[in-house]
Amino acid sequence: MKLMRLLTIAALLGFAGCVASLHEFYTEQTLVFDPALAGVWRQQDNDYRWQFVPNKEKQAYTLTITEKEDTQSKLIVHLFEIDGRRFLNLHPARDTHLETGDWTKAHLIAAHHVLKVDRDGPNLLLAAMNPETIERILKEKPNIVKHERLDDRFVLTDSPKGLQAFLKAGPDIDNFFTEPGILEPITP
């Protein structure tokens, strides 16, 4: 097991309560590449810096989020599109370093998260799946998407195609996504 690939589901992003998945949300057929995503962005509500470095060959981006006191999170991001709507699939970078013992690292699992992406002029609007809404949906329709409950959370376990079918239903469900956070471009 490669320890650098491991990261806790709970600590993956600064989005508290994000909906985690064991599998990616994209397929090769849904991947898109947009050079306009590259660059440095400032998260409006907390002043985090998001730097997207493109890798067109892999149709991906390396995302470094600089948080308070220069703490950084390094993620691999894939932009994908379903029915004209764009999403970001975020996954921890393989070279992520955790300050913990090997025994703890051996018990951690890397996870994928998805953010819906919209534009408002030059700004990016990013919205995560709303964990409360998703939990309600899973209780009412447990077969809508494969998942497992882990303590007080749940993890999606469906295939990428099953996850995409679930995302397609999102726009028709109130509060499927959270209110979007705003990323403003930083002019060099």
Side-chain angles (χ1 to χ4, degrees):
M1 192 177 332
K2 293 184 180 182
L3 295 177
M4 295 304 174
R5 292 180 59 194
L6 301 175
L7 192 64
T8 61
I9 292 171
L12 225 182
L13 296 172
F15 295 96
C18 275
V19 177
S21 172
L22 291 181
H23 301 285
E24 63 276 4
F25 287 84
Y26 63 89
T27 59
E28 285 187 39
Q29 296 78 18
T30 60
L31 281 175
V32 294
F33 189 82
D34 186 350
L37 189 56
V40 181
W41 304 78
R42 183 181 74 82
Q43 190 171 339
Q44 201 175 62
D45 60 344
N46 58 21
D47 210 31
Y48 287 6
R49 299 285 191 264
W50 294 50
Q51 181 177 13
F52 290 89
V53 176
N55 183 336
K56 189 171 185 178
E57 182 179 303
K58 294 186 178 183
Q59 286 194 306
Y61 308 81
T62 299
L63 170 60
T64 303
I65 302 174
T66 303
E67 303 165 26
K68 296 174 184 168
E69 300 176 20
D70 293 327
T71 302
Q72 292 187 332
S73 298
K74 189 174 177 185
L75 304 161
I76 302 301
V77 175
H78 289 88
L79 178 65
F80 66 102
E81 190 170 289
I82 302 171
D83 294 343
R85 291 183 174 87
R86 287 193 168 184
F87 301 90
L88 297 176
N89 181 97
L90 293 89
H91 187 265
R94 292 180 189 258
D95 61 349
T96 297
H97 178 69
L98 296 176
E99 296 294 328
T100 188
D102 289 345
W103 278 96
T104 299
K105 290 177 184 175
H107 289 86
L108 303 178
I109 298 172
H112 295 264
H113 289 83
V114 70
L115 300 174
K116 183 177 70 150
V117 181
D118 289 308
R119 294 296 295 235
D120 182 19
N123 298 332
L124 292 178
L125 306 176
L126 303 179
M129 283 193 283
N130 186 329
E132 291 81 22
T133 301
I134 304 304
E135 185 166 15
R136 178 183 50 79
I137 292 167
L138 294 177
K139 284 180 181 176
E140 292 171 1
K141 299 177 182 178
N143 295 325
I144 193 168
V145 66
K146 292 179 184 174
H147 65 282
E148 294 289 331
R149 177 153 298 283
L150 298 174
D151 298 322
D152 63 341
R153 339 183 37 179
F154 53 88
V155 176
L156 303 179
T157 60
D158 217 325
S159 69
K161 287 187 178 185
L163 293 169
Q164 288 181 13
F166 187 56
L167 284 177
K168 283 181 183 183
D172 297 328
I173 299 170
D174 287 338
N175 299 317
F176 190 87
F177 291 98
T178 60
E179 286 297 316
I182 300 171
L183 295 185
E184 301 170 330
I186 295 177
T187 308

